[in-house]
Amino acid sequence: IDIPEFDVAKATSLSPTGKAPVLETPQGTLFESNSIARYIAKLRRDTGLNGNGSVIEEAAVDMWCDFAVNKLELPACVWFYPVVGYMPFHKPACEKAKADLATALETLNAQLEGKKYLVNDQVTLADITVASALVYPFKLVCDAEYLKPYGNVMRWFKSCVDQTEFKAVIGEVKMCKKELTAAGQ
């Protein structure tokens, strides 16, 4: 995969949403990060990123990728976006986001009981997308007290982000010591 210099004008012209990320392929252009990730993972089926090749494992990988978008990213962004200045702080929205993220982490914690990874015994695209969705909230707003009930999630997350391949992309993940707060919080 060639990674050209980022050209904002070109990226916005290629995407129907007018936003990055986009991926130009010989067969056409893709947009949205999970679609691009799924495409790249399928280029090398021998890596096991889509599971063991069975229909059920591929569906399980897709399920957890969708879970990341719908159950983790949305509340996480509502919580940490005001902290980094992407949107104004709104107390009821922040409180609901914290509760919704906690519910999602409970689901994830139960799934990881007695398991090393989400789908099978190796890292799949499910682990990559879910762990990636948690990086910024875990670095900025989810302090140790908030994360205390989710021991399985924390074990799994640290296992993921401590791998060489993760570090090569996201660097060292320093966990939040104290919840950062937004202006007006």
Side-chain angles (χ1 to χ4, degrees), residues 82-101:
V83 171
V84 295
Y86 291 164
M87 62 187 254
F89 173 72
H90 183 66
K91 186 174 181 174
C94 184
E95 289 172 356
K96 179 164 179 15
K98 286 181 182 183
D100 289 351
L101 184 58

Side-chain angles (χ1 to χ4, degrees), residues 6-178:
F6 183 69
D7 180 345
V8 174
K10 185 173 183 181
T12 56
S13 72
L14 290 171
S15 172
T17 63
K19 297 179 181 176
V22 294
L23 176 67
E24 277 189 288
T25 75
Q27 298 80 31
T29 301
L30 298 172
F31 70 99
E32 294 297 336
S33 55
N34 280 344
S35 295
I36 294 167
R38 286 176 174 132
Y39 172 82
I40 292 170
K42 288 177 182 180
L43 289 175
R44 289 280 315 272
R45 292 189 181 273
D46 60 309
T47 63
L49 288 174
N50 287 303
N52 65 8
S54 70
V55 174
I56 191 67
E57 281 205 8
E58 283 195 20
V61 168
D62 286 344
M63 172 184 71
W64 287 108
C65 291
D66 291 344
F67 177 86
V69 170
N70 296 309
K71 301 297 182 185
L72 295 172
E73 288 179 7
L74 180 62
C77 289
V78 170
W79 185 2
F80 84 80
Y81 273 17
V83 171
V84 295
Y86 291 164
M87 62 187 254
F89 173 72
H90 183 66
K91 186 174 181 174
C94 184
E95 289 172 356
K96 179 164 179 15
K98 286 181 182 183
D100 289 351
L101 184 58
T103 299
L105 291 173
E106 287 170 14
T107 300
L108 196 53
N109 203 60
Q111 172 68 16
L112 289 164
E113 181 68 38
K115 291 180 154 187
K116 187 168 181 177
Y117 300 109
L118 286 169
V119 175
N120 57 29
D121 60 353
Q122 74 168 57
V123 170
T124 65
L125 188 57
D127 300 288
I128 295 167
T129 58
V130 173
S132 296
L134 294 173
V135 168
Y136 283 110
F138 282 13
K139 285 171 74 170
L140 300 174
V141 293
C142 298
D143 59 23
E145 186 63 31
Y146 180 85
L147 294 172
K148 191 175 185 177
Y150 315 113
N152 295 328
V153 172
M154 295 312 302
R155 171 190 45 77
W156 162 84
F157 180 79
K158 288 177 183 176
S159 171
C160 288
V161 300
D162 283 345
Q163 293 189 33
T164 304
E165 296 83 358
F166 271 81
K167 286 182 178 181
V169 175
I170 62 173
E172 190 77 28
V173 176
K174 295 191 187 309
M175 299 297 289
C176 177
K177 301 272 188 228
K178 182 177 187 255

